[in-house]
C-alpha cells in the first residue's frame, strides 16, 4: 500500500493552552469531535518538565482513554496540549499512523486534517537529508520539515513549511521549548479559535470548546494562529497580523451532551420539534409578511432571477430535492438540484440571474464548498443554508440562512435535515412573495401550516412504539425498499440512506412509478417495502404501485395520513401521521423512517452514532 493511501481525509483537531489540565480539555474536546472520525486518536501534552508526551491509539477514543489511564500521571500533567481524532480513507489505521506525529528529536508534535499532495516529494527529500520517518502518513513529514526550519521562532517555521505544502490542511503544532504557544494553520479546511480568559482553544469546530467559552473566531484561508494563554495573534502567510470577526456561539452545552439517551441520534430525533420551532421563529413581520433578510438580495434582483440551482451532498441533497417541489410550485421559478460533487464538472450554465442554494449542515463539506466557489466565479448569487455559524460555506457565500438546529453529533443527519426543509420552504415562500406569484393570504396560510408542524412532529414522535417493534421484527432482512411519489420520492431516498448508513443493509429509495421499470425485480417474498403515502392527489396511483409490489410478495409498510383509508387493504403494516399539506409532509414522514433505521440498527447491535466507514462531514473532495 502506498503511503499516501493513508492520507487523512477528515479528522477532529483540538489545541489548548491555559491553566487547566490540558489532557482533560483536549480529551473532552475530542469526545465532542469524535463524530468527525473515529479510526484512531491521540494527544500530545507538554508536561511540567518541558517534555512532550505523545500517546496514540488505533480505534475509537475509548481505546486512547484506556491507554491514557495506564500512562504515567506526571507525563500527562501539563497545561498545554493538542489532540486528534482521525478518519482515514484506505487501509487499517494503526497506532503508528495515529496522530500526533513528531520529528527526529521528539521536540515538535503535529496534528493534521487534510491531504498533502506533494507528500512523496517532501518525504523523499527528508529521507535523503537523513530524517527517519516512522509512519505512512503525510503528516509526519510536516513535523520533520518544521524541525529543519526551526531556529527558535515556531510561528515562522510553520509559515515557511506551509509555503511548500500542496493540498489542504489544518495543522496544529506544538514544540517542547514553548510552554505558552500552540500554532495553527489552515488551508481549505475548518479551524476555529475559542477565546477564553487566561486560556485559549483551537478546534475543528466550536463544539470542542463550548463548555469553556462561547466566544469564537473563525480562521480564514491561509491564515496562521499563535495561541497563547493571554491572547491570540492571527497572521497572514507573511506574518502580518490580520483582523477577523469574533462571533458568539449560542448553542447550549447540554445540546452537545447525550443527556441520558443511549445515542445522540435518538436525542436529536426527539429534539426535532424544538429545532423546527427555532428555525421558523421570527420570520414574519407585524403585517404577516415573510422576512428573509438573510437572503441579502434586493426585491428587484429576486424578481430578475431566471433559475435556482440547489446543491448539497447526502441528506442535504435530499432536502434540496424537496426545495425543487416547493420553489417551483410556490414561486414558479425553474429549479435544478444537483449533487455538489458533480455540479461544477459539467460546466453548469450560470449567470447573475441564477440563485444557487448550497445546503450543508456542517458548512464544511468540500464538494459543496467547491460548488459555492464555482458558482460565485460565474457571478451567480449564492445562498448558504447551514447549521454552523462561521463555517466556510457560510463565509464564502453571498448570504446565509442559518438553520437553528443546535449541534448535531450523530453521523446520520436527522434534526439538521428537518431544519433544512423548513429553510427551503421559507425560501420558497419568500421568493413567491417577492415575485408576486402568491398573494399574502396564501403565503400566510402556508406559513401558519409550517409553524404548526413542530406540534405535528411531536405527535408523530409520541406514536412510535409500533415502529420500534416493527423495526426489531424486520432487522434480519438484508434488503429494504422505499417508495414514494412527489415529495415522497426524496424522502424515500432519505429513508433508504438512513437505513444504509446505520444498518449496512442494501436499501434503495425509488419513485413509486419507476419501480416497474427495473427495481421490482428486487422484490422477493417478505422483502420489506416502505411506502410513503401521505394524503395527496397521487395517492390512488400509489395504491396501484403498492398492489404491484405486494403481488410479488413484498411486506408493505405504509406511512399514511390519519383518516385516509385508501391504503388500508394493501398495507401489511400501517404507520399513521397527522394530516398536513402534502408539500409539507416530508417533515412528518421522515420521523418514522428515522426511528425505523435507528431501531433496526440497534437490533443488530450496531453503534448508530458512529456507523462504520463514515464521518459526519467530509472535508475533501
Ligand atoms: C456526510 C454525512 C451525511 C451528510 C453529508 C453532507 O456524507 O455522512 O450524513 O448528509 O456528509 O453533510 P453536510 O454537513 O454538508 O450537510
Amino acid at each position: 500500500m502506498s503511503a499516501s493511501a493513508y492520507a487523512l481525509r477528515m479528522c477532529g483537531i483540538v489545541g489548548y493552552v491555559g491553566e487547566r489540565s490540558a489532557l482533560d480539555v483536549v480529551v473532552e474536546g475530542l469526545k465532542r469531535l469524535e463524530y468527525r472520525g473515529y479510526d484512531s486518536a491521540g494527544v500530545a501534552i507538554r508536561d511540567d518538565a518541558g517534555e512532550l508526551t505523545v500517546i496514540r491509539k488505533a480505534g475509537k477514543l475509548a481505546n486512547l482513554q484506556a491507554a491514557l489511564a495506564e500512562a504515567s500521571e506526571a507525563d500527562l500533567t501539563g497545561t498545554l496540549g493538542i489532540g486528534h481524532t482521525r478518519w482515514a480513507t484506505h487501509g487499517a489505521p494503526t497506532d503508528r499512523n495515529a496522530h500526533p506525529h513528531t520529528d527526529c528529536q521528539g521536540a515538535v508534535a503535529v496534528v493534521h486534517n487534510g491531504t498533502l499532495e506533494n507528500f512523496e516529494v517532501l518525504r523523499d527529500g527528508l529521507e535523503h537529508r537523513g530524517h527517519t520517518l516512522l509512519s505512512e502518513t503525510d503528516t509526519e513529514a510536516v513535523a520533520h520539515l518544521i524541525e529543519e526550519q526551526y531556529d527558535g521562532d515556531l510561528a515562522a517555521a510553520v509559515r515557511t513549511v506551509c509555503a511548500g505544502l500542496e493540498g489542504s490542511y489544518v495543522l496544529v503544532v506544538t514544540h517542547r521549548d514553548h510552554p505558552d504557544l500552540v500554532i495553527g494553520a489552515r488551508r481549505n479546511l475548518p479551524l476555529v479559535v475559542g477565546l477564553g480568559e487566561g486560556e485559549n482553544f483551537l478546534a475543528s469546530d466550536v463544539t470542542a470548546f463550548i463548555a469553556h467559552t462561547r466566544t469564537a473566531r473563525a480562521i480564514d484561508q491561509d491564515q496562521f494562529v499563535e495561541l497563547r494563554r493571554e491572547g491570540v495573534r492571527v497572521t497572514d502567510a507573511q506574518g502580518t497580523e490580520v483582523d477577523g470577526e469574533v462571533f458568539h456561539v449560542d448553542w447550549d452545552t447540554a445540546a452537545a451532551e447525550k443527556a441520558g439517551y443511549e445515542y445522540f441520534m435518538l436525542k436529536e430525533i426527539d429534539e426535532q420539534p424544538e429545532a423546527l420551532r427555532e428555525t421558523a421563529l421570527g420570520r414574519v413581520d407585524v403585517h404577516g409578511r415573510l422576512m428573509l433578510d438573510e437572503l441579502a438580495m434586493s426585491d428587484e434582483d429576486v424578481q430578475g432571477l431566471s433559475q435556482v440551482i440547489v446543491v448539497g451532498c447526502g441528506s442535504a441533497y435530499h432536502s434540496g430535492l424537496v426545495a425543487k417541489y416547493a420553489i417551483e410550485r410556490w414561486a414558479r421559478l425553474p429549479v435544478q438540484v444537483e449533487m455538489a460533487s458533480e455540479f461544477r464538472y459539467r460546466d453548469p450554465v450560470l449567470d447573475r440571474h441564477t440563485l444557487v442554494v448550497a445546503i450543508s449542515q456542517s458548512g464544511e463539506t468540500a464538494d459543496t464548498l467547491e460548488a459555492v466557489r464555482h458558482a460565485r466565479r460565474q457571478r451567480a448569487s449564492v445562498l448558504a443554508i447551514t447549521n454552523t455559524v462561521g463555517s466556510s460555506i457560510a463565509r464564502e457565500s453571498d448570504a446565509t440562512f442559518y438553520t437553528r438546529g443546535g449541534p448535531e453529533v450523530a453521523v446520520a443527519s436527522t434534526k439538521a435535515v428537518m431544519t433544512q426543509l423548513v429553510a427551503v420552504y421559507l425560501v420558497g415562500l419568500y421568493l413567491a412573495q417577492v415575485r408576486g406569484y402568491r398573494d399574502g393570504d396564501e403565503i400566510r396560510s402556508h406559513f401558519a401550516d409550517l409553524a404548526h408542524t413542530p406540534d405535528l412532529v411531536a405527535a408523530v414522535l409520541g406514536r412510535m412504539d409500533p415502529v420500534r417493534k416493527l423495526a426489531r421484527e424486520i432487522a434480519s432482512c438484508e434488503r429494504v425498499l422505499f417508495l414514494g411519489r412527489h415529495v415522497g420520492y426524496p424522502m424515500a431516498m432519505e429513508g433508504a440512506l438512513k437505513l444504509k448508513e446505520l444498518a449496512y443493509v442494501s436499501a434503495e429509495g425509488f419513485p413509486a412509478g419507476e419501480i416497474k421499470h427495473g427495481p421490482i425485480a428486487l422484490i422477493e417474498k417478505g422483502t420489506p417495502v416502505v411506502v410513503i403515502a401521505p394524503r395527496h392527489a397521487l395517492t390512488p396511483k400509489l395504491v396501484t404501485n403498492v398492489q404491484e409490489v405486494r403481488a410479488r410478495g413484498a411486506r408493505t409498510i405504509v406511512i399514511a395520513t390519519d383518516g385516509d383509508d385508501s391504503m388500508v387493504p394493501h398495507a401489511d403494516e400501517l404507520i399513521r401521521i397527522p394530516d398536513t399539506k402534502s408539500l409539507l409532509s416530508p417533515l412528518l414522514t421522515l420521523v418514522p423512517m428515522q426511528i425505523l433505521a435507528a431501531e433496526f440498527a440497534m437490533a443488530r447491535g450496531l453503534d448508530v452514532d458512529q456507523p462504520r466507514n463514515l464521518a459526519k462531514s467530509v472535508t475533501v473532495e
Side-chain angles (χ1 to χ4, degrees):
M1 164 126 359
S2 84
S4 60
Y6 286 105
L8 298 178
R9 292 298 170 102
M10 162 76 193
C11 309
I13 285 183
V14 186
Y16 174 74
V17 56
E19 301 299 332
R20 310 172 206 232
S21 152
L23 183 68
D24 291 349
V25 175
V26 169
V27 170
E28 186 190 314
L30 292 180
K31 253 188 240 166
R32 295 188 196 270
L33 295 182
E34 203 181 6
Y35 72 88
R36 299 176 67 89
Y38 30 83
D39 290 338
S40 64
V43 296
I45 304 295
R46 185 185 181 280
D47 68 23
D48 294 339
E51 285 304 317
L52 284 179
T53 300
V54 176
I55 300 195
R56 323 175 286 176
K57 258 318 190 221
K60 293 194 177 182
L61 191 58
N63 295 3
L64 173 68
Q65 287 175 290
L68 291 170
E70 283 176 15
S72 135
E73 220 181 300
D75 286 346
L76 293 170
T77 305
T79 52
L80 181 152
I82 62 178
H84 188 269
T85 178
R86 175 184 188 217
W87 183 68
T89 37
H90 306 285
T94 57
D95 289 357
R96 202 157 49 112
N97 288 331
H99 296 209
H101 290 283
T102 50
D103 62 336
C104 296
Q105 329 279 328
V108 179
V110 176
V111 291
H112 169 214
N113 174 24
T115 313
L116 301 181
E117 284 156 12
N118 57 339
F119 150 71
E120 309 250 343
V121 180
L122 297 174
R123 189 186 56 173
D124 290 351
L126 282 163
E127 284 178 345
H128 185 69
R129 297 193 295 276
H131 294 261
T132 307
L133 276 72
L134 303 172
S135 77
E136 291 141 307
T137 66
D138 45 0
T139 310
E140 194 183 0
V142 176
H144 290 266
L145 290 167
I146 294 172
E147 175 188 7
E148 285 186 341
Q149 293 298 330
Y150 179 73
D151 63 0
D153 185 343
L154 186 59
V158 174
R159 286 197 301 269
T160 307
V161 169
C162 286
L165 301 180
E166 287 167 20
S168 55
Y169 53 80
V170 163
L171 293 163
V172 172
V173 181
T174 175
H175 192 294
R176 69 177 172 208
D177 293 351
H178 293 273
D180 188 26
L181 181 63
V182 178
I183 304 288
R186 107 154 236 186
R187 177 179 295 163
N188 292 336
L189 295 166
L191 180 63
V192 202
V193 174
L195 300 163
E197 302 219 340
E199 60 180 356
N200 288 300
F201 308 79
L202 273 171
S204 304
D205 85 43
V206 297
T207 51
F209 53 69
I210 50 170
H212 306 295
T213 178
R214 303 291 183 79
T215 309
R217 172 172 174 181
I219 301 305
D220 273 323
Q221 186 71 341
D222 290 321
Q223 289 185 343
F224 295 80
V225 187
E226 297 162 29
L227 196 80
R228 296 185 176 81
R229 286 182 182 80
E230 291 306 330
V232 172
R233 187 169 177 264
V234 182
T235 72
D236 62 15
Q238 284 70 47
T240 309
E241 189 159 1
V242 289
D243 291 336
E245 195 193 331
V246 171
F247 60 92
H248 179 76
V249 185
D250 55 11
W251 283 353
D252 183 358
T253 330
E257 310 274 359
K258 276 194 202 159
Y261 282 83
E262 191 179 353
Y263 288 107
F264 277 108
M265 183 180 173
L266 303 181
K267 171 170 164 275
E268 288 160 6
I269 289 173
D270 277 356
E271 285 169 349
Q272 292 181 120
E274 196 47 36
L276 296 183
R277 251 178 231 118
E278 282 292 319
T279 304
L281 207 68
R283 304 291 184 187
V284 182
D285 69 11
V286 285
H287 311 293
R289 277 179 68 82
L290 213 54
M291 299 182 300
L292 219 62
D293 298 343
E294 293 98 327
L295 193 56
M297 278 176 95
S298 69
D299 286 3
E300 208 181 0
D301 286 344
V302 170
Q303 280 147 8
L305 286 174
S306 61
Q307 62 167 345
V308 177
I309 299 182
V310 188
V311 291
C313 297
S315 297
Y317 167 71
H318 298 150
S319 304
L321 289 172
V322 174
K324 179 175 174 72
Y325 291 85
I327 296 172
E328 288 192 340
R329 169 136 184 87
W330 289 332
R332 306 307 296 154
L333 256 174
V335 181
Q336 297 176 56
V337 190
E338 186 133 353
M339 287 177 184
S341 55
E342 287 294 316
F343 174 68
R344 69 188 201 285
Y345 298 111
R346 68 172 170 83
D347 196 11
V349 182
L350 303 168
D351 58 20
R352 61 190 185 82
H353 301 294
T354 304
L355 174 66
V356 171
V357 180
I359 307 180
S360 172
Q361 187 284 131
S362 62
E364 299 295 348
T365 298
D367 287 317
T368 313
L369 181 58
E370 286 303 332
V372 166
R373 290 175 178 161
H374 182 82
R376 291 200 66 200
R377 279 196 295 270
Q378 311 291 311
R379 298 172 62 218
S381 298
V382 179
L383 170 68
I385 294 180
T386 180
N387 197 32
T388 313
V389 176
S391 58
S392 303
I393 290 174
R395 284 180 299 121
E396 295 204 23
S397 297
D398 295 295
T400 305
F401 182 120
Y402 284 113
T403 54
R404 302 182 198 129
E408 188 179 70
V409 176
V411 165
S413 188
T414 54
K415 63 175 178 172
V417 177
M418 288 283 222
T419 58
Q420 287 162 3
L421 291 174
V422 170
V424 301
Y425 291 132
L426 289 170
V427 170
L429 287 175
Y430 181 77
L431 294 176
Q433 175 179 286
V434 176
R435 292 168 64 81
Y437 277 97
R438 304 278 151 188
D439 66 26
D441 285 347
E442 184 178 349
I443 288 176
R444 270 190 290 280
S445 145
H446 290 311
F447 183 77
D449 289 337
L450 187 60
H452 184 46
T453 52
D455 295 340
L456 301 182
V457 170
V460 178
L461 284 167
R463 302 176 177 188
M464 288 294 100
D465 280 345
V467 176
R468 291 188 187 96
K469 184 166 167 280
L470 171 65
R472 292 192 290 270
E473 265 173 51
I474 61 171
S476 59
C477 296
E478 289 303 324
R479 174 183 296 148
V480 182
L481 302 186
F482 292 74
L483 304 182
R485 279 179 177 263
H486 195 256
V487 286
Y489 162 45
M491 290 304 98
M493 290 166 68
E494 175 63 9
L497 178 62
K498 289 281 98 62
L499 196 59
K500 236 183 299 209
E501 32 183 19
L502 296 182
Y504 322 145
V505 296
S506 145
E508 296 300 332
F510 297 107
E514 186 64 16
I515 186 145
K516 55 186 172 297
H517 300 296
I520 201 162
L522 295 170
I523 308 271
E524 292 171 330
K525 188 165 171 11
T527 306
V529 177
V530 177
V531 184
I532 300 148
R535 193 198 307 276
H536 188 269
L538 282 167
T539 309
K541 290 199 189 297
L542 251 179
V543 169
T544 312
N545 304 137
V546 174
Q547 284 172 314
E548 287 160 6
V549 295
R550 205 163 183 234
R552 272 92 186 165
R555 176 175 183 179
T556 56
I557 300 163
V558 180
I559 304 174
T561 306
D562 284 340
D564 176 1
D565 289 341
S566 53
M567 281 287 179
V568 173
H570 316 292
D572 293 307
E573 318 288 341
L574 204 57
I575 301 170
R576 290 293 195 179
I577 54 165
D579 205 358
T580 188
K581 290 221 176 84
S582 60
L583 207 48
L584 302 181
S585 65
L587 292 168
L588 307 188
T589 57
L590 209 45
V591 177
M593 292 190 286
Q594 297 165 341
I595 304 263
L596 186 86
E599 198 72 31
F600 190 116
M602 287 191 296
R604 289 179 159 224
L606 300 171
D607 178 340
V608 301
D609 280 346
Q610 297 181 339
R612 71 181 181 202
N613 308 339
L614 297 177
K616 183 141 187 74
S617 83
V618 182
T619 50
V620 290
E621 291 175 68

